Amino acid sequence: MIFVKNAKRYFKKFVEIKLNCPKKHEGEHNVLERIVEQILNKVDIVDVVSSYIPLKRVGVNFRALCPFHTERTPSFYVSPAKQIFHCFGCGVGGNAIHFVMRMENLTFTEALKVLAEKAKIDINLSESKFAKDRALAKQKEELINLHKDCFEYFQEQLYLRKNIEAAKYIIKRRITKETAKRFGLGYCPEKNDLYERLSQKYPKEIIDLSGIFLERNGKNYCRFAGRLIFPIFDTMNRVIAFGGRIITDTSAPKYMNSPDTLIFSKSRILYGLNIAKQSKENEFIVVEGYMDVIALHQEGIDNVVGVLGTALTQDHSFLLRRYKNEVVLCLDSDEAGKRAAIRSADILYQNGLMVRVMELEGAKDPDEYIKKFGKDAFLLKKQNSMFVIDYKIKELKNQYDLSKSDQKFRFVREYFEKILTPISNEVERQEYIKKLSDLTGIDENVIAREFSKKAQKEVRRIENINYFKQVQKKLVLTDIERLKKNEIYLLSLYTQWAPKSEEIKSLLTENDFYTEDIKILFSSIKNLLDEGMELSYSMLLSFITDESILSELTSFSSKGFEDCDTAKKAIEELKLNIKTLELKLELEEAQRQNDAVKITQILNELKKLKAGREGESR
């Protein structure tokens, strides 16, 4: 297991720069360790996380639904004291840098740049970070450049006389020349030399990584051949992918998108957001397709964004929340569109957005609606859009005849599950308990009591499932895995308490650790502390690249030890655990080698440890 990448070198350099020769490096900003320290001292993880997801204070910590996996009960915690986060559901954890890396799909250095911008710190990362980061950044840069070249090629093709059919299609769809240029529309001819052109400038590896080409029978074909091209921009106005619409009637799929790449993920991008984010409107209007976005923008409705052939995701909700707090969903009017609207609305609402749903009668989609009825009619529909919970109640009520007792009871059960359970705000929940009472004639107090019992059962059920998962996880651990887990916990306690207590600082030596990487890290941390360096727990996590170790460290740290005596007892207990497991591993090796003397010696040591532990417990 790689615990820390180049830990010895980085920590040695860190000590040298900070303690031994500060004058020599005065004013320099190209040392990773100094930059990390500067940023982590300036940013507050609560501010960082809450800019993406809504946090709720729980005691000294904050809690939320985890942004990295789907869950109904919050298990994601942020500790302002330790400046870390941890999800007890999926296990992810780390500091503010790790959070931004995950949320934005960035490298370490890219995340540092984002945080430096938030903290208004000028940094220069040109010489910093690992070779892996630099290589990845170079690949991303080349992919961005390649997409720009493709974008220019497709635009050029659209306006050539030989490709007149593409221009006719745009006219048929009533897209003006101005709108086509604003959205960068293009065309890819059936017969094209795009691959050959790119081959003169980019290596095959980068062209393949772009996902723009498919290989058949040893030849490379553009996946968008014969299609009108919709370039997909990120929020920095860089082309990162393409969508293509077939313009002739064939058996081929109507739309085709770029696959996910190093620079593009359809679950993290919204079409038209690069333009819509500049709108002065209070909300975003979310639609389904390229043509819906373009048609509405063309009519002067400039706050419209579209999903890219996928359902709305948590990542989309985080993206929207960066710019506005309100969303109007305007999806297709068929039954599939209504179901999608409810699913999407739930995701957006659970992630802190105020969500309304608008319905369009007399047209299959927003593009057709605005062409048939005009801008004013569309805006009136938007004005009359329903708050998401009211919309869900309307759709649910349409499925039941509440004059019949059996249907009324089924309606109440579904109302509990689909309306009341997802609401976390008690004031809102009380309002919708009252609405259920009005709809059914059942007393409010009866509904509240019954819902409370159901909610408690659900919490117990989830707790039992989580407990079972934890037990199963523990059952499959090997001795070496248990040993490493205990070492991580011991290192965590030492890092938290050694700066506060000389006694705890002197409790540990390298010999208390078994794993070589952890020994190196412990030694480096101890040297820093001996020299008077203030090393925060959050800072330590920045140098750990193994996500399983990050999870263990943040999980253990999140539990917390409130006083020195408790921490000391835990340290002594962990030392005994580590020594016992270490001896067990040595015993297995001695047994493999049939070393009778060694076996006897180890068994005696294990007996002494056991006796000592039993003596302490009396």
Side-chain angles (χ1 to χ4, degrees), residues 340-358:
I342 288 174
R343 283 194 305 271
S344 300
D346 275 344
I347 290 168
L348 298 175
Y349 176 70
Q350 289 296 322
N351 285 289
L353 287 153
M354 182 62 69
V355 188
R356 304 197 311 278
V357 180
M358 63 184 287

Side-chain angles (χ1 to χ4, degrees), residues 196-209:
E196 289 71 22
R197 288 191 186 203
L198 295 174
S199 297
Q200 295 172 18
K201 189 173 178 181
Y202 301 97
K204 184 179 186 305
E205 177 197 11
I206 294 298
I207 299 175
D208 291 345
L209 282 174

